[in-house]
Amino acid sequence: MPASMVGRPAQPEFLTVGEVARRSGVAVSTLHFYEAKGLIAAARSGGNQRRFSRDVLRRVAIIRVAQGFGVSLAEIAELLEPIPPGKRPSAAEIRAMVGGWRVMLQARIDGLILLRDRLDGCIGCGCLSQTECPLRNPMDELGSRGSGPVLLQRPGRP
């Protein structure tokens, strides 16, 4: 046993939801929400209380960092999909996930640069024309969907 571990109590294999909240800095309600979305998973004790494996702390940290970048929970779920809840991600899995972030973030950066460059021309115009505006309706995409309130139509609905 390493000298740094002498005299220290053994760490429990599973953590309560309160312990995870305290250690991760995330509200208990947020942990429940993440669990409902399938981003994290908990086992249940004999008394039906949530018990999280220790790897959940890293998973919550990954979720919070991704949210800080503006990544949606749906996108986070997709990026975490190869690493099931309860499994400690390997260094290779983390690298693969971060590679996915880079691709997604670069696409957002490219979109923001395009928006910035097109916005300069539109500030003076102010038209937001439904047929000509490159921000509101680039290349008349709405016109290709038909006439009427095309913005209110959802795919697969009349």
Side-chain angles (χ1 to χ4, degrees), residues 145-158:
R145 293 193 218 165
S147 61
V150 295
L151 287 178
L152 300 178
Q153 295 175 353
R154 291 193 177 112
R157 287 182 62 187

Side-chain angles (χ1 to χ4, degrees), residues 12-31:
E13 185 178 342
F14 291 96
L15 302 170
T16 66
V17 68
E19 290 169 324
V20 173
R22 182 180 52 78
R23 293 190 56 193
S24 66
V26 174
V28 168
S29 60
T30 301
L31 295 171

